[in-house]
Amino acid sequence: QVHLVQSGAEVKKPGDSVKVSCKTSGYRFTMFYMHWVRQAPGQGLEWMGVLNPGGGATVYAQKFQGRVTMTRDTSTSTAYMELSSLTSDDTAVYFCARGKEVATIAPFDYWGQGTLVTVSS
Amino acid sequence: DIQMTQSPSSLSASVGDRVTITCRASQSISNHLNWYQQKPGRAPELLIYAASSLQSAVPSRFTGSGAGTDFTLTISSLQPEDFVTYYCQQSHSTPGTFGQGTKVEIK
């Protein structure tokens, strides 16, 4: 059975960085792209970018270029998303989501449980 | 970026009703349209992909249709667990933009 388990909630100050992990199991980690999506409180869903766990290549949404870094550890089947220069606008739940197809953008068939990141001084 | 516009933003219905939610893309996206259901405090779940393909284990009361710029999600007979929020998403090009959501409420 496919599982994506994310790291716990974080509280950060403006200007800090946060790194969220997404540990996977139940499938071959390197065969499916991993996407990151965030949701501000009471708001809709926003795609941040995608990681190819096989080779490590990434594509980021222009909005987050220069602030986001997506990486992976194939030995533990874990994907990571690091966001820097945090502001209060980055307060959100961050989800990892597996792409159903091997493509830069695809439907997301499995999701992590979400990680709440709160940015507050 | 491709803009996705969902309507309505909310609707009230009763158990057993048939409801339709619409999603319009700002340019043609072929059939690269997906629908998700999100329950409060939970991650979204994929219902429909490629406009009309039912994701595994999703009840058959959910159907999707459309192509190009106009798409619909239909729930044939609302069940109590269906009174939650629905999102469309285009997977035609990055960024994979979502609609703003439709909240289905009990009348």
Side-chain angles (χ1 to χ4, degrees), chain A residues 3-81:
Chain A
H3 289 290
L4 281 62
V5 179
Q6 298 183 223
S7 48
E10 303 261 14
V11 179
K12 296 293 183 181
K13 294 190 183 303
D16 284 353
S17 296
V18 68
K19 191 170 185 177
V20 179
S21 67
C22 174
K23 183 169 178 58
T24 72
S25 60
Y27 72 98
R28 186 173 287 186
F29 177 63
T30 55
M31 296 295 286
F32 293 83
Y33 288 19
M34 188 66 76
H35 301 257
W36 291 87
V37 175
R38 78 176 186 178
Q39 185 170 38
Q43 302 301 309
L45 300 161
E46 183 174 33
W47 183 82
M48 299 180 68
V50 59
L51 166 73
N52 176 356
T58 55
V59 175
Y60 302 136
Q62 189 169 5
K63 175 177 179 175
F64 300 102
Q65 287 273 4
R67 280 210 305 142
V68 70
T69 304
M70 296 177 187
T71 57
R72 90 290 191 215
D73 181 344
T74 56
S75 69
T76 60
S77 300
T78 301
Y80 299 91
M81 187 283 300

Side-chain angles (χ1 to χ4, degrees), chain B residues 1-37:
Chain B
D1 297 359
I2 298 174
Q3 306 304 314
M4 305 302 295
T5 304
Q6 261 181 261
S7 61
S9 55
S10 66
L11 65 90
S12 296
S14 302
V15 172
D17 282 354
R18 177 186 180 92
V19 299
T20 297
I21 299 168
T22 297
C23 186
R24 173 166 287 176
S26 60
Q27 64 188 73
S28 177
I29 58 171
S30 184
N31 70 333
H32 300 136
L33 190 283
N34 313 301
W35 291 97
Y36 298 87
Q37 178 191 70

